[in-house]
Amino acid sequence: MSPRFSIIIPVLHEQAVITATIANLGELLYREDSDGEIIVVDGDAEGKTIETLAGTGVKTALGIKGRGNQMNRGAALAEGDILLFLHADTRLPPGAFGLMETALQNTGCRAGAFDLAIASDRPVFRMIAGIASIRSRLTRIPYGDQGFFFHRDCFQELGGFATIPIMEDVEIMRRLKSRGEEIAIIPHPVMTSARRWEREGIIRCTLRNWALIILYLCGVQPERLARCYR
């Protein structure tokens, strides 16, 4: 029997992209004949993003602002066997649901992520994505924009994401590794938007992200890092 997927998307002011993301997910589920539900959790108290999803059949909820809080809220509503946590501006590769099922069945892993690609023809973005994919393969600690997926029981055993303002993705993967769990990295990339780098500047955004990761791994508290990120 094929597993059921719960796709959980934390959002905050994502009205411009969420409809296209939902349509893309619906098309992929249909093409693969996969059983799945989509859950969108809005960190905006007014629910501006989920207002745009009325009548789409998507489960929606409000959550306390912060990706960790919002993703935990979505997981609490989920009914699937496999939980996939996806950013609002990220697209899955063709065959993604079959790839996840195979990775969890054949590798002995109970969690994983995809390689990363960035939606731009500029060579610098191919370099950034390539470095990210190599790093995640070497460290087995992927980042949240690579699309995390977990067997439901594994996620529950972990107690969900830490309710910290930043680095919740790195924290949960480090915690998973500390338990002796292997993390599958699927060699087919998700495609994430280049908008963050383009808005903030490629060099500035990349160096800041690397600095934040290094500082976090050196023990700087997420609350302090969140102030630097803002």
Side-chain angles (χ1 to χ4, degrees):
M1 183 177 178
S2 296
R4 188 176 196 214
F5 291 87
S6 292
I7 307 152
I8 299 160
I9 307 174
V11 298
L12 184 68
H13 309 310
E14 295 287 8
Q15 298 93 312
V17 301
I18 193 61
T19 303
T21 299
I22 298 303
N24 176 257
L25 288 169
E27 183 178 353
L28 285 175
L29 286 166
Y30 176 77
R31 283 183 181 177
E32 295 190 45
D33 194 25
S34 296
D35 183 16
E37 62 176 355
I38 302 171
I39 305 169
V40 178
V41 183
D42 200 336
D44 172 18
E46 297 181 3
K48 296 290 188 181
T49 302
I50 59 177
E51 279 181 2
T52 66
L53 300 176
T56 61
V58 172
K59 282 187 181 179
T60 61
L62 296 176
I64 299 171
K65 181 181 175 182
R67 278 203 178 118
N69 289 316
Q70 291 169 243
M71 291 188 290
N72 287 340
R73 172 73 171 133
L77 299 172
E79 299 176 358
D81 308 294
I82 298 174
L83 309 181
L84 167 64
F85 298 92
L86 195 68
H87 289 186
D89 61 354
T90 299
R91 301 286 187 271
L92 294 174
F97 297 101
L99 291 168
M100 285 185 280
E101 183 178 353
T102 299
L104 295 179
Q105 286 180 345
N106 296 351
T107 64
C109 299
R110 298 197 297 162
F114 294 83
D115 274 342
L116 180 69
I118 300 172
S120 174
D121 293 329
R122 297 175 67 181
V124 66
F125 287 117
R126 289 197 294 273
M127 181 186 71
I128 291 170
I131 291 171
S133 294
I134 291 169
R135 177 203 50 74
S136 66
R137 289 183 171 281
L138 291 175
T139 64
R140 310 313 277 188
I141 299 180
Y143 296 164
D145 53 7
Q146 293 176 245
F148 287 175
F149 54 92
F150 299 83
H151 267 305
R152 183 187 188 89
D153 59 352
C154 176
F155 185 78
Q156 291 176 336
E157 287 170 19
L158 287 167
F161 290 93
T163 54
I164 52 181
I166 197 172
M167 298 296 166
E168 76 291 328
D169 50 353
V170 176
E171 193 278 339
I172 198 170
M173 286 297 164
R174 293 182 76 196
R175 190 155 31 104
L176 192 63
K177 280 189 66 176
S178 73
R179 294 162 58 99
E181 297 267 5
E182 292 291 330
I183 299 165
I185 307 293
I186 294 177
H188 298 264
V190 295
M191 183 71 71
T192 195
S193 170
R195 61 181 179 166
R196 178 161 44 103
W197 289 274
E198 291 172 341
R199 182 176 63 243
E200 300 177 12
I202 295 171
I203 294 175
R204 177 179 181 274
C205 184
T206 301
L207 293 179
R208 181 202 61 194
N209 290 345
W210 289 352
L212 290 174
I213 289 291
I214 291 169
L215 289 170
Y216 176 71
L217 295 177
C218 289
V220 178
Q221 291 301 306
E223 290 74 16
R224 290 185 64 189
L225 296 177
R227 290 196 292 272
C228 296
Y229 185 83
R230 288 194 292 269

